[in-house]
């Protein structure tokens, strides 16, 4: 069936772009796109019409064509007392490279307390803060791709909301990159403190044989691992549990699971070797140098209180050229997640993980990947109350 103004379509949009430190791919699955009223760049909207499911359209956009162009007037200084430091969960201190909602600012034209649009802190002096209202992708050339996945008939058009799909796709991307190549200050203000600082062995002593992400998000993580992991690789499944999210049909070598609960590890059929080890008590990994071809860490990095030491260890046990892949979503155990994780925008969290990789000086070919907007599976317990599947965010790099 062809796409036209009398049809609805599902389209997966992808933008690829580069920063000083990584290649970035951000995807958004648009559901029930209405060509009669939804918004696209004019030329690109025409390119999407008269297409069949499976068709792909690609286009390169120069800086400032999809998002507002960089405007030097949108970078300016404010007095330190114009940044509100009082937050609902404690004091908020501006830090270099971080994003904050504009509603924290006072005395700025057309900015109100309810404004949640992010702005970035570029640098700070004793009495001044230099900030940017530019979109984080304002200066980036963007490689754009759209894949038609479904076309369906619609009964009628009687008004309704108008969605700007380019704005939806680009809301968040860019926030995972550094500002002007300078490291983002994620590490002031006790970033690795937690609500529950008791021994992790107590918290994880009882097995939890449940999935922490919905089935669609798990499927997408498996697809990503299938794409990135080499065949016959010896894999370390870091912070493992009763499932490893590794694709069943991918031929691998030995898979070693390192986790907190022996019963959960015993229930994991993908593992050839099982080791109970608390990385927060002892970040040193019980493996020899260059022991693995690949390392995966799924929905767990947010619990590490010594991440720099752990990532040094990951580099040590990974073979040169080997890949380390970290995947996360927006669900976690609040008492055990580190403080900085909960304070960050979802896209900033990829930037935090990038800083972990970069801190070692031993990883290259760094990538980030995001996937949002997929429909929540009907079998999921939150179907009906939540429209979208859990988002998937990934960061990976190769050992030098």
């Amino acid at each position: 069936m062809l796409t036209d103004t009398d049809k609805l379509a599902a389209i997966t949009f992808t933008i690829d772009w580069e920063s000083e430190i990584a290649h970035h791919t951000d995807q958004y699955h648009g559901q029930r796109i209405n060509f009669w009223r939804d918004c696209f760049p004019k030329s690109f909207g025409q390119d999407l019409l008269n297409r069949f499911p499976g068709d792909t359209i690609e286009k390169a956009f120069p800086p400032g064509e999809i998002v507002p162009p960089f405007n030097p007037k949108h970078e300016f200084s404010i007095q330190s007392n114009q940044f509100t430091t009082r937050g609902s969960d404690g004091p908020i201190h501006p830090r270099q490279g971080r994003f904050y909602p504009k509603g924290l600012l006072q005395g700025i034209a057309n900015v109100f307390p309810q404004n949640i649009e992010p702005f970035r802190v570029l640098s700070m002096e004793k009495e001044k803060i230099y900030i940017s209202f530019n979109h984080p992708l304002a200066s980036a050339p963007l490689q754009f791709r759209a894949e038609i996945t479904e076309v369906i008939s619609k009964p009628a058009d009687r008004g309704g909301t108008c969605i700007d799909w380019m704005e939806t796709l680009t809301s968040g991307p860019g926030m995972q990159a550094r500002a002007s190549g300078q490291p983002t200050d994620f590490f002031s203000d006790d970033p690795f403190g937690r609500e529950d600082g008791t021994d992790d062995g107590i918290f994880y002593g009882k097995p939890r044989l449940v999935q922490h992400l919905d089935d669609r998000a798990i499927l997408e993580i498996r697809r990503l691992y299938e794409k990135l992991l080499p065949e016959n690789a010896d894999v370390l499944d870091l912070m493992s549990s009763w499932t490893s999210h590794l694709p069943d049909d991918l031929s691998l070598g030995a898979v070693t699971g390192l986790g907190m609960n022996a019963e959960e590890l015993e229930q994991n059929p993908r593992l050839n070797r099982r080791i109970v080890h608390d990385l927060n008590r002892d970040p040193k990994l019980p493996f020899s140098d260059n022991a693995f071809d690949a390392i995966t860490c799924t929905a767990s990095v947010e619990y590490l209180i010594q991440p720099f030491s752990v990532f040094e260890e990951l580099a040590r046990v990974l073979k040169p050229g080997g890949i380390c892949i970290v995947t996360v979503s927006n669900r976690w155990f609040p008492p055990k997640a580190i403080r900085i994780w909960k304070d960050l925008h979802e896209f900033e969290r990829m930037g935090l993980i990038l800083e972990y990789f970069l801190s070692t000086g031993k990883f290259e070919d760094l990538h980030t990947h995001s996937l949002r907007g997929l429909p929540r599976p009907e079998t999921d317990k939150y179907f009906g109350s939540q429209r979208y599947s859990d988002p998937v965010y990934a960061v990976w790099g190769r050992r030098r």
Side-chain angles (χ1 to χ4, degrees):
M1 188 181 296
L2 286 167
T3 55
D4 60 44
T5 55
D6 293 324
K7 305 288 194 316
L8 299 175
I11 302 176
T12 298
F13 301 105
T14 304
I15 55 172
D16 283 280
W17 54 283
E18 304 280 344
S19 67
E20 298 94 335
I21 57 174
H23 179 90
H24 309 276
T25 300
D26 296 304
Q27 293 185 305
Y28 195 99
H29 182 78
Q31 305 175 40
R32 301 182 67 82
I33 292 170
N34 189 329
F35 295 101
W36 180 64
R37 64 177 181 234
D38 289 350
C39 298
F40 295 94
K42 185 175 180 180
S43 61
F44 197 76
Q46 292 298 315
D47 288 342
L48 292 173
L49 293 175
N50 301 316
R51 300 285 183 170
F52 289 96
D55 284 354
T56 300
I57 302 94
E58 298 191 22
K59 186 177 179 64
F61 288 97
E65 189 163 329
I66 288 183
V67 302
F70 177 83
N71 186 340
K73 294 182 179 180
H74 290 169
E75 294 188 349
F76 54 94
S77 64
I78 61 172
Q79 296 298 313
S80 296
N81 60 11
Q82 290 181 266
F83 186 101
T84 303
T85 60
R86 184 177 299 173
S88 58
D89 297 324
I92 301 172
H93 302 291
R95 299 300 178 190
Q96 180 174 302
R98 289 279 308 279
F99 287 88
Y100 303 91
K102 288 182 178 178
L104 292 178
L105 298 176
Q106 299 177 337
I108 307 295
N110 302 314
V111 172
F112 306 96
Q114 297 77 19
N115 193 331
I116 62 172
E117 183 181 0
F119 74 96
R120 190 167 211 169
V121 172
L122 298 177
S123 62
M124 294 178 295
E125 299 176 3
K126 187 175 181 180
E127 301 294 337
K128 290 186 177 182
I129 306 172
Y130 195 51
I131 66 175
S132 176
F133 278 10
N134 282 303
H135 192 285
L137 292 177
S139 299
L142 305 176
Q143 186 66 38
F144 191 87
R145 183 168 69 256
E147 180 183 358
I148 313 295
T149 59
E150 185 181 12
V151 180
I152 59 176
S153 298
K154 60 182 176 181
D157 276 308
R158 298 187 178 89
T161 59
C162 173
I163 299 175
D164 184 334
W165 286 103
M166 299 300 98
E167 181 178 349
T168 299
L169 173 61
T170 59
S171 178
M175 298 175 73
Q176 66 266 54
R178 289 174 167 180
S180 303
Q182 298 300 309
T184 302
D185 182 4
F186 294 117
F187 306 115
S188 300
D189 312 315
D190 188 24
F192 306 122
R194 300 179 295 174
E195 292 178 24
D196 180 359
T198 60
D199 190 301
D200 287 344
I202 300 173
F203 184 86
Y204 295 104
K206 181 180 179 179
R208 294 176 172 86
L209 303 179
V210 296
Q211 296 288 8
H212 301 298
L213 303 177
D214 70 66
D215 290 344
R216 187 58 189 261
I218 291 171
L219 174 62
E220 296 301 329
I221 289 173
R222 284 180 175 149
R223 287 175 173 171
L224 182 67
Y225 288 161
E226 184 172 28
K227 176 182 176 182
L228 295 175
L229 293 174
E231 286 193 359
N232 303 315
D234 290 333
V235 178
L236 170 60
D237 182 21
L238 192 75
M239 305 176 80
S240 185
S241 180
W242 68 287
T243 181
S244 292
H245 305 94
L246 297 170
D248 293 332
D249 55 353
L250 179 62
S251 177
L252 294 172
V255 179
T256 299
L258 184 145
M260 287 289 295
N261 186 280
E263 184 174 340
E264 290 180 6
L265 295 175
E266 284 298 325
Q267 293 291 322
N268 190 332
R270 206 67 165 89
L271 302 180
N272 304 106
R273 185 184 180 194
R274 299 163 177 86
I275 297 175
V276 176
H277 184 88
D278 184 351
L279 289 170
N280 284 341
R281 177 176 288 181
D282 179 10
K284 186 170 180 60
L285 294 172
F287 309 113
S288 61
D289 295 355
N290 307 324
F292 299 99
D293 301 297
I295 299 171
T296 60
C297 180
T298 308
S300 297
V301 74
E302 60 267 32
Y303 305 115
L304 290 174
I305 63 173
Q306 301 183 71
F308 299 120
S309 297
V310 170
F311 273 72
E312 283 285 351
E313 282 291 287
L314 297 182
R316 180 183 66 79
V317 303
L318 195 59
K319 295 177 183 178
I323 189 169
C324 179
I325 313 166
V326 178
T327 55
V328 297
S329 187
N330 59 2
R331 295 168 65 178
W332 58 82
F333 298 126
K336 287 298 183 179
I338 57 173
R339 178 176 290 115
I340 185 64
W341 192 262
K342 294 179 281 188
D343 289 344
L344 296 176
H345 187 281
E346 291 183 10
F347 277 80
E348 281 187 288
R349 292 173 189 146
M350 290 189 286
L352 174 68
I353 299 169
L354 280 173
E355 294 296 341
Y356 293 164
F357 276 100
L358 290 165
S359 70
T360 70
K362 298 172 184 175
F363 287 95
E364 60 186 4
D365 193 24
L366 294 169
H367 286 71
T368 73
H369 173 87
S370 68
L371 176 59
R372 301 171 293 157
L374 288 166
R376 183 167 288 273
E378 294 184 12
T379 55
D380 188 78
K381 65 179 180 180
Y382 296 111
F383 180 79
S385 62
Q386 296 183 21
R387 178 180 178 184
Y388 300 112
S389 170
D390 299 325
V392 173
Y393 304 100
V395 184
W396 65 87
R398 297 191 179 275
R399 178 71 163 85
R400 293 185 189 276

